[in-house]
Amino acid sequence: MKVGEKYHNMTTVELIDELDKVKKDFFQMRFNHASGQLTNPMQLKACKKNIAVIKTILRERELEIEKMPKKAKKA
């Protein structure tokens, strides 16, 4: 399973909720890392990657919505 595969199957509302959750987790991990309590620092990298994937999918959907009316006008 690819990293973003599970996110592509979510609705836009679910993605926004997931983005909020992942951002909160990332903030907590950064705080734990700074205080020396984070056991696996690679979790930070994975969390940042998840944020990027979710934002990319949301942006792709946003651009696709903008393209749809232009195609409809030509038809």
Side-chain angles (χ1 to χ4, degrees), residues 16-29:
I16 293 170
D17 291 340
E18 184 70 18
L19 181 62
D20 288 340
K21 179 182 168 281
V22 173
K23 281 184 173 182
K24 287 177 185 175
D25 290 344
F26 181 66
F27 178 78
Q28 187 65 37
M29 282 185 215

Side-chain angles (χ1 to χ4, degrees), residues 37-53:
Q37 296 175 350
L38 188 64
T39 57
N40 184 2
M42 292 304 291
Q43 289 175 330
L44 287 170
K45 182 178 179 181
C47 197
K48 283 198 284 188
K49 189 169 187 175
N50 286 338
I51 291 170
V53 168

Side-chain angles (χ1 to χ4, degrees), residues 37-68:
Q37 296 175 350
L38 188 64
T39 57
N40 184 2
M42 292 304 291
Q43 289 175 330
L44 287 170
K45 182 178 179 181
C47 197
K48 283 198 284 188
K49 189 169 187 175
N50 286 338
I51 291 170
V53 168
I54 293 170
K55 283 185 170 186
T56 301
I57 293 170
L58 287 171
R59 182 66 179 154
E60 287 173 350
R61 289 182 183 180
E62 180 182 328
L63 292 175
E64 189 62 34
I65 290 171
E66 291 177 8
K67 290 180 186 176
M68 293 301 284

